[in-house]
Amino acid sequence: MAAALEIVRPSPAEADRPAIEVGHLTKAFYDSEGDRVTVAVSDVSFSVASGEFVCIVGPSGCGKTTVLRILADLEQKLSGTVKLHSATPPAMVFQETSVLPWLTVSENIAFPLSLKGVSGAEQEKRVRDLLALTGLTDFARARPHQLSGGMKQRVSVARALVDDRDILLMDEPFGSLDEQTRLVLQQELLRIWETTGKTVVFITHSVDEALTLADRVLVMSPRPGTLVADLEVPFERPRDVVEMRRDKRFWDLTYKVWRLLASPARA
Ligand SMILES: Nc1ncnc2c1ncn2[C@@H]1O[C@H](COP(=O)(O)OP(=O)(O)OP(=O)(O)O)[C@@H](O)[C@H]1O
C-alpha cells in the first residue's frame, strides 16, 4: 500500500502544477478479519488544474464517494498516488445537509472560523460576505428548521467557503433537491465559483448537472470503478443554465455520456 494523501504547498515556481493529481488509485475495503470484501475503485488516474471545475459521474456504487473521501483524507490503505498542490486542506460539502440545528445561519457559517479562533470582527466580516454571496443575508438569524432544503444547502456551501480553502469537494450536494431548486443552485454555484476561483470536484448522478457545471466530466464504470472517459465540456463561461439547453452540443454530449454509462466496456 502506498502512502495516503500528500498535500504539498505550491511554491510560485510550481504555479502551473495541477491542483490535484491522482495516479493509479486503487482502494479496497476489508472486513474485520482482514479479508478483502470490496474493490471500490481500480487504477484510477486523473488530474484537476487549479481553478478547474470537474464533475465525476458513474453508476451507484462505482466508487465516486470513495474517490472524494480519499481526496479529503478520510480513507486510508490505498494504493497509487494522490497529491494535492494546495495551501490548505480541501473543504467538503455532503449530500445530506450538515448544518447544526441549534445554531443560526450566521453561526453555522462562522463555525469553522470559531474552531480556528479567528477574531469576532473578522468572523463577522467573512460571514457577511458569504451571506451576500449565497443570497442568505435576510436569513442570517434564522435557525435551520426555518429554512428550505435548498437554503440549508446554501448554508453548507457558505460554510465550506468561509475559511477560504483552495479546493472544494462536493458530494451530490443538490441530490436531494427538486429539479427547479437544483437548477437555481447550479446557477448560483457557477456564479460563486466564477467569483472565488476555487478548484472544484463535484460528484453527481445527473449527467445533465455534470454538463451544466463542469469544465470536464470524468465518467466511471460500474464497480470496481475505473475511469472510462475524460470529456471536455466546451460551453463558454459564464454559463446560463437554462440557455445552454438550447445548444445542440449539450444534447450530443448528454447522449455520449449516457452511451458510456450504458456500455462502458465499448467506450
Ligand atoms: N467503509 C466501507 N466499508 C466497506 N465497503 C465500503 C465502504 N465504503 C464504501 N464501500 C463500498 O465501496 C463501493 C463504492 O462505494 P461509494 O460510496 O464510493 O460509491 P458511489 O459511486 O459514491 O455510490 P452512490 O452513487 O450510490 O453514492 C460500494 O460497493 C460500497 O459498498
Side-chain angles (χ1 to χ4, degrees):
M1 293 286 172
L5 179 75
E6 188 186 342
I7 299 184
V8 184
R9 283 175 184 271
S11 66
E14 292 179 316
D16 290 342
R17 289 194 73 163
I20 300 172
E21 288 179 287
V22 174
H24 304 290
L25 175 66
T26 296
K27 169 67 189 166
F29 290 101
Y30 296 82
D31 63 17
S32 50
E33 276 81 50
D35 294 326
R36 192 156 86 165
V37 279
T38 310
V39 181
V41 287
S42 174
D43 198 20
V44 165
S45 300
F46 65 92
S47 64
V48 181
S50 178
E52 198 174 24
F53 199 130
V54 167
C55 283
I56 304 179
V57 295
S60 181
C62 75
K64 301 180 295 296
T65 295
T66 301
V67 170
L68 212 68
R69 285 177 54 82
I70 288 168
L71 295 177
D73 204 15
L74 296 173
E75 296 288 350
Q76 309 302 319
K77 294 189 180 161
L78 17 130
S79 69
T81 55
V82 183
K83 287 186 188 164
L84 304 188
H85 300 279
S86 167
T88 53
M92 194 143 175
V93 181
F94 299 93
Q95 175 172 8
E96 314 80 46
T97 169
S98 50
V99 290
L100 302 168
W102 59 92
L103 298 181
T104 65
V105 166
S106 285
E107 289 163 350
N108 262 288
I109 296 172
F111 192 65
L113 301 180
S114 54
L115 290 180
K116 285 182 173 173
V118 172
S119 75
E122 178 60 20
Q123 280 192 36
E124 257 179 52
K125 185 190 170 313
R126 286 294 297 157
V127 169
R128 205 170 40 243
D129 291 349
L130 263 309
L131 285 168
L133 194 64
T134 52
L136 288 167
T137 302
D138 292 345
F139 296 88
R141 292 201 187 86
R143 290 190 194 269
H145 73 272
Q146 298 169 301
L147 304 179
S148 68
M151 288 159 84
K152 282 186 218 166
Q153 275 310 48
R154 280 190 222 171
V155 178
S156 299
V157 171
R159 191 175 52 197
L161 293 169
V162 78
D163 56 352
D164 209 18
R165 314 282 183 102
D166 296 338
I167 298 171
L168 198 52
L169 306 174
M170 308 187 82
D171 191 357
E172 283 259 14
F174 309 146
S176 61
L177 305 174
D178 66 89
E179 211 172 348
Q180 209 179 332
T181 306
R182 225 173 149 138
L183 208 67
V184 171
L185 287 191
Q186 287 165 5
Q187 187 72 72
E188 287 188 10
L189 179 61
L190 285 179
R191 181 180 50 76
I192 290 167
W193 171 72
E194 276 148 15
T195 312
T196 58
K198 305 283 176 202
T199 304
V200 181
V201 181
F202 185 109
I203 287 177
T204 177
H205 280 110
S206 162
V207 173
D208 189 276
E209 181 165 74
L211 296 176
T212 301
L213 297 173
D215 293 314
R216 275 165 53 222
V217 175
L218 308 181
V219 185
M220 289 180 70
S221 71
R223 184 169 54 81
T226 57
L227 216 60
V228 294
D230 182 338
L231 303 171
E232 294 278 339
V233 183
F235 310 114
E236 47 289 340
R237 309 268 188 189
R239 292 179 182 171
D240 180 315
V241 301
V242 176
E243 281 303 309
M244 19 186 335
R245 282 159 176 73
R246 299 176 66 176
D247 191 326
K248 181 176 177 300
R249 293 173 302 169
F250 186 90
W251 302 109
D252 289 347
L253 262 176
T254 303
Y255 174 77
K256 188 169 182 176
V257 177
W258 274 114
R259 277 260 53 100
L260 287 161
L261 291 171
S263 48
R266 285 192 275 127

